[in-house]
């Protein structure tokens, strides 16, 4: 079966079961300042999982483009990718375990659908603990479909629980479906819990029936949801009976192009195979980031930094297999060819994607060879005694030769060295003075654009949200924001057009807050405390427990990565340029700051 058939089958199956098919959201989250990328199908649906009404109804199905860079070091094995597509079906307070399990089983095993032999499928179910009981319902549903007891494993929360995405919020037990690759067991205890590769997870049905509170309690949710995720790449690997995701049709055109460009043979050695796969994976992900055209280009902050790291890492591994300089755009074209029928935006934005890759490659090519030489000199100088690269040297590689920190860390590790990250951050801060957030944190998220103009507009956005809520009520919640040097764009939930009077009042209020020259205070606190104190924001960050909360006088309190001005008096005059509809139930305001 080809990958396009899997997508089609999945969506038609769930259409038959009364689901509305919704499009993939962007890989760049629209309404969540706390994460850099859409990491799972549930991410763009969080407001609906929390009870907001979805315009398409209570049963949804989709294929979501996702990016997860947490496992970037694993890329190059048989299953890990930084970009992947997740097939999902969703019940927003509609059906629950019985139907979800029945449909998963039918889709996987029925001749009409995937026709996977039943004996190849293994199941895991939540074993129960002090927080929530053993999931006997799921267990019994599986048995009722004829799954043999010996194929069902009860596992702990570590394995069979999903969410909350942050520290509080909707979550619940899950039941996962694995495919037995037929490899030998790695030992007597080998089970789907083990990562030896015998069992590959292909689908996860999450039953969101609890809300984890700030106090760490699991309370039953009034709306019980189903969130399922089937990894397209992994499932197609199984269906095509190939060794790795890179040997499936989703990668075929891309791998072929790399083979033409490289002077080393794929499969020649483990190291070469890994390098091939890293180039393929990283350029594929870069194309999807650029292809959404959300203003992300290679840079030293936020998503741009991740993008830069991916491209530069691809170039470095490309060198290992003899890919000539300037080839990344060609590989990108192969990615676009592969996906343009499914994601037309890639083809529509082709020129932009290719140009950006070309530029970034040129920027890096200018310095990479010199940087690599510099690096070799450095480790020769340090010799066998000191196995640590000091912060100032790592910073020089970053600043002068464009080596992302993680890149230097990898090179160091390959040579048995480590890097003094704290020292690097110190130099970084001294030179840039842009943020207290650690440079190493940037890969996970943190630093925002720090020009004076955008900083002011960030603060203005908080004031705007506060004023809108004051004038229009608590229905107003941020749905997205986008800031350039010139203007801010703010999307928020509200059901109708604003009147002229309302807009004037909002503008007047913001200017009043500016006149009052309110102090802007940033506090770091645990997510739970932020939530309990009433700060606004989407509490579904997957990254760490500490968050930043910005307060402006007693006008506004929001979860935000910053940066912000020190006092509102710095902002100038606030002017709304336009108010319009953005999508169903969401309004959009564009505004600027003018000189006083
Ligand atoms: N959210 C779950 C996952 O990412 C199921 O979709 O696995």
């Amino acid at each position: 079966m080809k990958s396009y058939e899997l997508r089609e089958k999945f969506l038609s199956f769930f259409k038959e079961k009364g689901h509305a098919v919704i499009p993939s959201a962007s890989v760049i989250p629209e309404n969540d300042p706390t994460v850099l990328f859409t990491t799972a199908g549930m991410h763009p649906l969080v407001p609906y999982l929390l009870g907001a009404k979805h315009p398409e109804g209570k049963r949804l199905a989709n294929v979501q483009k996702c990016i997860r860079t947490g496992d970037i070091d694993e890329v190059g094995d048989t299953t890990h990718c930084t970009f992947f597509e997740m097939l999902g079906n969703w019940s927003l307070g509609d059906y629950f375990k019985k139907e979800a399990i029945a449909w998963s089983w039918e889709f996987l095993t029925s001749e009409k659908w995937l026709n996977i032999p039943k004996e190849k499928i293994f199941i895991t179910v939540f074993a129960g603990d002090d927080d929530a009981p053993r999931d006997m319902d799921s267990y019994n549903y599986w048995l009722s479909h004829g799954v043999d007891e010996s194929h069902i494993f009860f596992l702990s929360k570590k394995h069979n629980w999903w969410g909350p995405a942050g520290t509080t919020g909707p979550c619940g037990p899950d039941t996962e479906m694995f495919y037995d690759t037929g490899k030998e067991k790695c030992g007597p205890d080998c089970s789907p819990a083990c990562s030896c590769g015998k069992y590959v997870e292909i689908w996860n049905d999450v039953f969101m029936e609890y809300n984890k509170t700030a106090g760490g309690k699991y309370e039953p949710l009034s709306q019980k949801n189903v969130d399922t995720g089937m990894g397209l790449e992994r499932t197609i690997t199984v269906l095509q009976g190939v060794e790795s995701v890179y040997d499936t049709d989703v990668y075929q055109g891309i791998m072929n192009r790399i083979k033409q460009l490289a002077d080393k043979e794929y499969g020649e050695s483990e190291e070469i195979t890994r390098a091939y796969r890293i180039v393929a994976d990283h350029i594929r992900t870069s194309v999807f980031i650029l292809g959404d055209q959300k203003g992300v280009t290679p840079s030293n902050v936020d998503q741009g930094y991740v993008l830069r790291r991916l491209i530069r890492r691809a170039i470095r591994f490309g060198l290992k297999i003899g890919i000539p300089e300037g080839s990344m755009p060609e590989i990108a074209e192969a990615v676009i060819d592969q996906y343009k029928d499914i994601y037309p935006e890639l083809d529509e934005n082709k020129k932009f994607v290719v140009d950006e890759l070309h530029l970034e490659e040129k920027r890096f090519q200018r310095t990479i060879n010199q940087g690599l030489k510099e690096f070799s000199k450095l480790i020769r100088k340090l010799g066998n005694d000191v196995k640590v690269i000091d912060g100032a040297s790592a910073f020089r590689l970053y600043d002068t030769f464009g080596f992302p920190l993680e890149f230097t860390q990898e090179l160091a590790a390959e040579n048995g060295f480590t890097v003094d990250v704290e020292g690097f951050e110190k130099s970084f801060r001294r030179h840039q003075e842009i943020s207290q957030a650690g440079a190493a944190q940037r890969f996970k998220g943190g630093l925002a654009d720090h020009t004076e103009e955008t900083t002011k507009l960030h603060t203005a956005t908080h004031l705007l949200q506060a004023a809108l809520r004051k004038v229009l009520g608590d229905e107003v919640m941020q749905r997205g924001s986008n800031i350039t040097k010139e203007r801010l764009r703010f999307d928020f939930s509200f059901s109708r057009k604003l009147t002229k009077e309302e807009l004037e009042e909002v503008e007047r209020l913001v200017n009043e807050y500016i006149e009052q020259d309110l102090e802007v205070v940033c506090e770091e606190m645990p997510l739970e405390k932020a939530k309990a104190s009433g700060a606004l924001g989407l509490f579904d960050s997957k990254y760490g427990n500490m968050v930043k909360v910005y307060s402006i006088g007693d006008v506004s309190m929001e979860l935000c990565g910053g940066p912000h001005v020190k006092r509102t008096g710095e902002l100038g005059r606030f002017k709304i340029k336009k108010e319009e509809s953005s999508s169903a139930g969401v309004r959009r305001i564009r505004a600027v700051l003018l000189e006083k």
Side-chain angles (χ1 to χ4, degrees):
M1 184 185 297
K2 298 280 184 213
S3 52
Y4 75 87
E5 288 172 85
L6 174 58
R7 284 190 204 88
E8 264 172 28
K9 279 193 184 226
F10 186 88
L11 297 176
S12 9
F13 178 83
F14 283 101
K15 227 191 225 162
E16 276 185 18
K17 309 288 183 199
H19 291 63
V21 172
I22 57 168
S24 172
S26 165
V27 293
I28 312 290
E30 294 263 8
N31 52 6
D32 184 356
T34 64
V35 285
L36 294 181
F37 296 104
T38 300
T39 57
M42 61 96 70
H43 205 143
L45 291 171
V46 165
Y48 309 105
L49 296 167
L50 286 167
K53 203 170 154 283
H54 194 285
E56 301 275 357
K58 292 182 171 179
R59 291 184 181 191
L60 310 174
N62 64 354
V63 184
Q64 175 63 46
K65 303 181 278 188
C66 299
I67 291 182
R68 283 187 198 172
T69 51
D71 287 339
I72 193 166
D73 294 329
E74 311 286 329
V75 171
D77 67 0
T78 54
T79 52
H80 285 89
C81 304
T82 54
F83 168 85
F84 58 93
E85 291 171 89
M86 204 173 237
L87 309 164
N89 58 290
W90 309 86
S91 160
L92 303 173
D94 190 41
Y95 60 85
F96 205 46
K97 295 180 184 177
K98 184 173 177 206
E99 295 84 346
I101 289 176
W103 292 337
S104 289
W105 185 248
E106 182 185 347
F107 185 67
L108 289 176
T109 61
S110 146
E111 251 176 60
K112 182 168 171 210
W113 303 102
L114 299 193
N115 198 18
I116 298 179
K118 294 180 178 155
E119 65 280 6
K120 288 292 223 174
I121 294 175
F122 283 71
I123 304 290
T124 62
V125 174
F126 178 56
D129 59 17
D130 292 345
D131 298 324
R134 198 175 181 81
D135 188 3
M136 288 311 288
D137 287 346
S138 293
Y139 178 73
N140 287 321
Y141 290 132
W142 286 118
L143 287 184
S144 77
H145 295 296
V147 179
D148 195 81
E149 272 175 275
S150 66
H151 279 221
I152 309 179
F153 292 77
F154 282 101
L155 299 179
S156 68
K157 201 181 241 124
K158 184 172 153 242
H159 296 279
N160 280 78
W161 191 273
W162 218 88
T167 47
T168 59
C171 58
D174 66 46
T175 180
E176 300 180 11
M177 289 144 265
F178 290 75
Y179 178 83
D180 177 4
T181 58
K183 288 188 190 140
E184 283 298 309
K185 285 190 171 192
C186 64
D189 294 333
C190 186
S191 81
C194 113
S195 57
C196 71
K198 177 174 173 60
Y199 302 98
V200 179
E201 183 200 332
I202 51 177
W203 203 351
N204 182 9
D205 289 357
V206 183
F207 303 120
M208 291 193 167
E209 52 181 322
Y210 295 99
N211 179 39
K212 188 175 178 194
T213 65
K217 283 216 168 58
Y218 292 83
E219 287 171 351
L221 267 180
S222 53
Q223 172 179 315
K224 294 187 175 183
N225 308 300
V226 175
D227 149 19
T228 91
M230 172 187 268
L232 176 120
E233 285 80 355
R234 289 183 181 192
T235 306
I236 206 73
T237 306
V238 162
L239 294 172
Q240 294 176 359
V242 289
E243 158 81 11
S244 81
V245 294
Y246 301 94
D247 304 307
T248 63
D249 70 320
V250 293
Y251 267 110
Q252 205 165 29
I254 307 167
M255 291 301 270
N256 284 345
R257 187 68 59 93
I258 300 176
K259 283 176 195 168
Q260 284 161 5
L261 290 163
D263 66 12
K264 299 261 188 326
E265 289 289 321
Y266 182 63
E268 200 176 301
S269 71
E270 256 178 51
E271 203 193 331
I272 298 293
T273 300
R274 182 164 170 264
Y276 258 91
R277 292 173 176 176
I278 289 172
V279 175
D281 171 86
H282 289 9
I283 295 300
R284 186 172 74 132
T285 305
S286 303
V287 167
F288 275 94
I289 295 174
L290 289 165
D292 271 344
Q293 272 238 25
K294 292 280 173 196
V296 176
T297 53
S299 73
N300 283 336
V301 292
D302 292 341
Q303 291 101 339
Y305 182 76
V306 177
L307 177 60
R308 167 159 287 169
R309 186 180 170 208
L310 287 166
I311 300 172
R312 296 190 170 193
R313 209 167 178 262
I315 295 171
R316 183 162 79 86
F317 281 91
L319 285 177
K320 288 187 195 249
I321 51 175
I323 291 183
E325 272 186 23
S327 301
M328 297 303 143
E330 262 189 69
I331 303 171
E333 286 188 25
V335 177
I336 296 171
D337 283 346
Q338 184 85 48
Y339 283 101
K340 64 183 174 201
D341 295 336
I342 318 247
Y343 300 109
E345 66 273 17
L346 299 183
D347 204 33
E348 282 153 24
N349 299 326
K350 182 169 173 170
K351 184 166 170 355
F352 172 76
V353 173
V354 167
D355 286 353
E356 283 299 329
L357 272 163
H358 180 67
L359 276 176
E360 180 63 6
E361 189 164 9
K362 265 207 346 223
R363 267 184 229 122
F364 193 38
Q365 287 300 0
R366 252 181 257 140
T367 55
I368 179 170
N369 287 324
Q370 234 182 318
L372 288 172
K373 265 191 219 137
E374 181 83 7
F375 180 85
S376 305
K377 247 204 281 178
L378 194 65
I379 56 171
R380 261 204 314 276
K381 199 172 83 197
L382 292 172
N384 288 328
D385 306 332
V386 193
K387 290 282 185 190
V388 183
I389 293 172
D390 63 286
S393 301
F395 182 74
R396 191 173 133 73
L397 285 168
Y398 167 84
D399 201 38
T400 312
F401 302 105
F403 283 22
L405 171 64
E406 296 80 0
F407 188 114
T408 303
Q409 285 176 302
E410 282 167 18
L411 276 177
E414 284 167 21
N415 290 278
F417 282 71
T418 58
V419 177
D420 172 11
V421 174
E422 248 174 64
F424 171 89
E425 285 176 5
K426 239 193 230 151
S427 302
F428 186 85
R429 273 203 295 277
R430 230 187 353 261
H431 284 77
Q432 314 257 323
E433 289 185 355
I434 53 171
S435 169
Q436 298 155 340
Q441 287 294 321
R442 273 172 311 142
F443 194 52
K444 298 188 186 133
L447 291 190
D449 182 352
H450 53 276
T451 59
E452 201 185 317
E453 294 92 332
T454 56
T455 304
K456 285 182 181 172
L457 285 163
H458 267 291
T459 308
T461 306
H462 286 214
L463 294 179
L464 173 61
Q465 167 148 256
L468 282 166
R469 285 168 65 86
K470 188 142 186 208
V471 175
L472 304 172
D474 289 350
E475 189 196 331
V476 171
M477 285 297 278
Q478 173 162 351
R479 285 280 177 261
S481 86
N482 175 286
I483 290 171
T484 66
K485 274 191 187 144
E486 288 76 34
R487 55 110 184 107
L488 69 85
R489 200 179 78 195
F490 183 70
D491 293 352
F492 59 95
S493 49
F494 196 63
S495 47
R496 60 165 170 83
K497 189 166 176 55
L498 274 65
T499 63
K500 189 163 164 276
E501 291 71 30
E502 284 166 340
L503 282 172
E504 277 168 9
E505 180 58 7
V506 168
E507 192 175 283
R508 192 194 63 73
L509 265 176
V510 173
N511 282 315
E512 188 177 299
Y513 300 148
I514 295 174
E515 287 298 312
Q516 289 168 353
D517 196 21
L518 303 167
E519 194 182 359
V520 182
V521 181
C522 174
E523 256 185 291
E524 286 205 23
M525 58 177 82
L527 195 67
E528 284 151 44
K529 189 172 161 218
K531 198 178 181 191
S533 63
L536 295 179
L538 265 181
F539 289 88
D540 65 339
S541 163
K542 287 184 79 174
Y543 301 110
N545 295 332
M546 294 298 284
V547 293
K548 281 192 191 173
V549 173
Y550 278 91
S551 309
I552 309 180
D554 54 13
V555 164
S556 150
M557 193 191 220
E558 278 191 49
L559 185 77
C560 177
H564 285 278
V565 299
K566 296 257 177 304
R567 306 197 70 97
T568 58
E570 295 167 41
L571 295 189
R573 196 159 58 80
F574 177 78
K575 177 111 196 81
I576 293 178
K577 295 297 252 188
K578 199 168 183 187
E579 190 270 341
E580 62 194 335
S581 159
S582 157
S583 60
V586 180
R587 308 295 304 174
R588 169 170 288 180
I589 282 183
R590 288 172 200 270
V592 293
L593 286 169
L594 305 169
E595 299 277 321
K596 274 237 161 108

